[in-house]
Every structure is written in structure tokens, then in C-alpha cells.
Amino acid sequence: METFLKENYNLQAVEIKPLEGYDSENYRVKTAERNYVLKIYKNEVHLKELLLSENRLLQLLSKDNADSYSVPIENLQGNYLTETATSFARLLSFVEGEFLADVEHTPELFESFGKFLAGMDLKLLGVRDIAIEAKKTVWDSQFYQLSKKYLPFIEDPNDRKIVEYFFLQHREIIEPEIENLRKSVIHGDANDWNVLTKNGSVSGIIDLGDMCFSPLINELAIAVTYCMFGKENPAESVLPIIKSYHEILPLKENEIATLYWWIATRLCISVCNSAKTKRDKPDSEYITISEKSAWELLQKLVKLNPILVEDEFRKACGFASKIVDTSEEDLAKRHKIASKALSLQFAKPIKMVGAAFQYMFDSAGRNYLDCYNNIPQVGHCHPKVVEAGQKAMAKLNTNTRYLNDVYNEYSANLLAKFPSSLTKVFFVNSGSAASDLAIRLAMTHTRKKGIVVMEHGYHGNTRVGIDISHYKYNRKGGGGKSETIIEAEIPDTYKGRFTENDGSAGELYAAGTIENINANALPIAAIIAEPIVGCGGQIPLAKDYLKHLYPFIRQQGGVCISDEVQTGFGRLGQSFWGFEMHEVVPDIVIVGKPIGNGHPMAAVITTDEIAESFETGMEFFSSFGGNPVSCAIGQAVLDVLEEENLPNNAQEVGGYLLDLFKNLTDKYEVCGDARGKGLFLGLEFVEDKIGKKPNTKLASFVQNKLRDESILIGTDGPFVNVLKVKPPICFTRENADELVGKIDKILSGM
């Protein structure tokens, strides 16, 4: 190498030191007079044109400020590129300074960074270069698809889904807008290890190897991404960069609107390539140096409301806020077009505009931890579920009068989750429709009409659903009990007649129900019950209750129906279905809500014998039940549950959260009982522990205070005094700590 430098540049090297590089060999060359960087590349097709373009752009940038950029050095033949049969070489001046990654980050430093970056981009704006414009690189975020093939290298599915989410949002939000964004030649990699500083200001930038022709806003996005690393409030921390950049090179509003998403995309590209590099070069630290920080930032970004971030960026640039409170107008519109019987949460309703996993975002820029929505079982907007639906809808959406593979495959996979006696499935569109169908099946099979229902049970909004829902027909506005209904006392071991949950209470409660059935003398078609009575206040049926009751129902010729609309699909942890926690096998199972992660679908699962009884000549048909789109979505939910091991997460996090709730019952007189299983839990508020008098006012107070703390939670029970916790089951221990910490704060401040 000494000979090469002497023969081609007439330089006498005092020291040659290797430097890290991505697609080139880099060396710091020290001579008696000054320092240089020697870059050696493999002689590949089209690389020569790109290197010549980089040299021309470096000459342009360094024309008035040679200390800020690497200046190309001519060889003895007067060329800026030294070519051999196998390689190209370039000699550049060495830019002195401390890396941005190594110095303290101050608002003043970031302000200088924004100005420097904008000044550089101003020089490049309008430059046209064929080689650069033809370049398509994995690090140019507009070509994020090039990194998607590395997704399998991200080992943790909980990490991988965040990348998939942001790639999906890039496709949905940026791609439709990309042709409206200004494009320019940009540096393309203004990360903290390429930016140099002196005396508290940005003084230079190196490595033009990622120069590309890309949306101009991508330049700023890359720069601020790395400056967010390690910051408690990442978006706020980079406002000085954005503000000072805008002062030199004014941003357009549509560019600011996409900036958050460009930042997220850059992070996703980075972690994808780090994952690949760890496979290919496990000892390399160059590409993976920022991986930990990138993951930490992605975890923070996915919780942020994009509307708030955009608004902060807008205000930094002097644009007016786009956030306007339209809740009164929206509520008026709602009441104009919909009945007030359609309920809303909270006295002042929230207008939601987006969501990601266990977080929801409102129109005012607030983000919420969702502890309440049990429909998006695997998380709001889960990318695998969304894409499954999109792909299926683009291919085929028809009813079940035609054969298709996805129906058969999904049905078989769903049935495989059940005991071997449950072999037939009927698809419908809602849990209510499923409850209605389950009762029809039971009555058709048994030729009887009597239905045993649970006190405070809820099974849907159809006429039949209301008839079998004590929670509805026995409350305000309800029509009272139908003559075909027999009510079973809820087997509550907290404030019921029997409280020993060792099996003895369950046996006594079952005996009481049996006595009631015998006294009624109504021919029994079925008993329908939830394994944990949600509307009753998250009350698990007493141990062994169903084990004593199911055999009796069958002796009467009736069938046993388990309503798993809220408790199924792994929400209870080790018990994939709620009936498993009671060690029974029903004859009919109703599933809904989480089956489609928010897509309107439900199902009834039953035995061959009951299904055959339904074959009376009257066809069963649901226009949309079991269509290919629904089945594809349902399959995606099953896949995600398994891939991310979410039932196990529900078991571990739910157990942890229940212990935290029990700590509250030990600490506060007003916390009467903590109960439930997995991530289907309840915390009951009382006036005092001895009297157990329901404290409805406190439950409402805590619920609304939690809303103020950006946490969404429900209340339920006959006296609406129970906090109902049933979040997406990707809920974490950190989420549990946040929830209970806020409840503790509220109670201690009373």
C-alpha cells in the first residue's frame, strides 16, 4: 500500500490505519504534512460512474468550505479515480473533528446541525446526476421493500411485528404521497457517526457512499433519527434541528406530515440490516453499532400519537397547529344520524383516529394505553392480520356457496384447537349471531325450548340474545324473563352465598341450580354460560360448578353451551378456551370478538351429532360468514397467536398483573377483590372490606382519572363497581406496572 500511494499520489505514508467500512476498504493515511482517507472498492459494473459522481458532488460541496467535506485528490495522471483490473481507489482529504455520537448533545449543537444540513442540501437541490438518480440502494428509505426480505432474521416476533407495522404504514401513508414530495440528490446517511463537530457546533460530514436521489425530507428524517437515540422525549429533542433546517431550506407541509413515518422507516431498515449482518458477519460491530438504540427508539415511537409528533414538527417550523377540538360537532353529528341508544364511553367521548397494538391515538394528539379492548386480541392494526385481509380481498371475496381452499384450511386449523368431540363449525358475523345460532342448534337437536342462563350473563344483541341475557332483560329497559328461561344463581365466591373456592362452593351452587331446574319442570334444551361472567363483574364460575352441572343437563337431554366470545383464543393463558379452566367439554362453543381481531366474524363449533340434527332440509346460510376474506384473517390471528406465543404472554403478564391488583386489595380498604385469569381480570371497589357494599362512585372516579392519565379501562358488574381489564394480549409487564401505578396514585391521592 505504501508503494501504491507513492506510485500513484507521490505520498510518503508515515502511518496507515484501517477504518471501518460497509462496501469499501477504508484506511486513514498519515503523512508528514496532512491526513488522508484511502478508499478501495471492488471493480464492479456501474460503480465507476457512481464514484465519479460522488467526486463531482464532493467538489461542488467543498468549493467554499474544504474543511467540511472530503476533497477528492488527483493522482499523478490527473484523475480522481485510480483503476486497476480488480479495484478502484480514491484518495480524499481527511475531515477533522469529533463525531456527533461522541459529544454532548445540546440544543445549540442540534441547531447548528440543522443549519449545516440545510446548507448542504441547498447546494444539492436542483443537481441532476444520471448515475445517482439510477441508484437503488437498501439504505434509501423509499426502497424499504429491499429490506423486507431480512425480516425473518429478526428473531423476536415481538420486535419483528413493530417493523412490519411501520413498513405497512409506509405503504399506506407515504407511498400514495411520494410523487408529491420534492426530490433531490441527498447525502443519504447523515448519521451521528458520519457527522463531525468542533467546539460545540457541527463542522463537517463524511461518507457520501449512500448518496441517492430521494425525497428531500428523507435527508432530514435520517439526520434526526440518530439524534433521537437515548432521548427521553425523542421527538421534542430534535425540534432545534428541524427548526433551524427550515430557516435555511423551508419545508413544505406535506413533507412535515410524512417526517414521523420516514423516521420510523429508517429505523426499521437499520434493524433489518443489523439482523442480516449478525447472521452474515457475527463479529462485525460497524452495522450493528446502533442496533440497541434503534430498537429502544422504535419501542418509543410506536407508542407516540403521530398526530402529536407532526404537530410538534409543524410548530417548530412556524406552521399553525392542525389539532382542533371538534368533539362537540362530532357528537352532534352522531346524535343526528344515530340513536342515543348507541352508547359512548365517557361523558366527553374520545375521537379515535389510529392505533398500534396496545396503544390508541385520538384526534387531539393523545396516546392511550388500551386496557379495555378485548376484540383486537393480537393487537390493534397487527400487520399480519391487516395484510392477510388486504391480500384476500384483492383476490376473492364471495359467500360459502362456492368451494375455496382457505375455508377448508382455516376451518380445519380452528377445529384443531378444540377437543376431538367438537368437529363441526358454522361461521357467522358476530358473537350475537353465533349465540342466536347456538340456541337454534340446541333447540333443534333436543326438540326442547328451556334454556338455563347465568345471572348477569350477556350473550348478544339479537332478540334471542336478549332473551338469554339476564344482564339485558333484567335491567333498565329490559322486558323481563321469558317463560322459556330458567335463571341460575351466579356462583360468586367473593360475595355470594358460598365462598370457599375449593370445589365445595361450586358443588353447592350447582345443587341450587339443579334444584331450581327440577322445581321449574321446564324441558331443558341447553345451559349457556361464560366461563368468567364478564358483565357480572369478571366473576369466574366457582371451581367444579360446571363439572357438577353439565352431567345433570345432559341427563335431562339438554346440551351444554360455552360462550367463549370474551374468554377464548388464549386470553386466559394456559386455558386456550375458558371451559378448559373448568375441566369440562361443552357440546356447543360460541366464539367471536377476537376471532378476527376486529374483523366482523364469529363461529359456532359443535359435535357431529348436533350438526346432523340441524340438517332438516332448511339450509343454513350466512351471506358473509366464512367468506375467504374472513377465513384468511382468522387464520392470520391463529398464526400470530402461535408465532408470538401470546397465550403464554397472557398467562405470565396476567398473573403478574393479578398479583399487583391483590397488592392493592391488601393496601386499600376500598379494593375488595381482585380476580380473573390471564388477561381477563377484575378489580372490585367496595365501601369497606367487611360489608362489601359496592362502591360505584369510586369505580367511575378511577376510570375517569385513568382516562386523564391516558389509560383506557372499563367498568362493569351489576353495580358497575368493577374495573374490567381485558387488553390486547400483547400487553406487557411494563404496561401492567403503568396501569397499577396510576391506580395506586389515584387511590393514594384521594
Side-chain angles (χ1 to χ4, degrees), residues 727-738:
I729 62 173
C730 52
F731 207 71
T732 66
R733 282 176 174 253
E734 291 75 19
N735 298 148
D737 287 334
E738 181 181 357

Side-chain angles (χ1 to χ4, degrees), residues 113 117 120 187-192 194-195 205 219 222-224 226:
F113 186 18
L117 197 68
M120 177 181 69
H187 178 280
D189 195 18
N191 72 65
D192 50 355
N194 282 338
V195 176
I205 193 166
E219 181 88 286
I222 294 165
V224 300
Y226 296 92

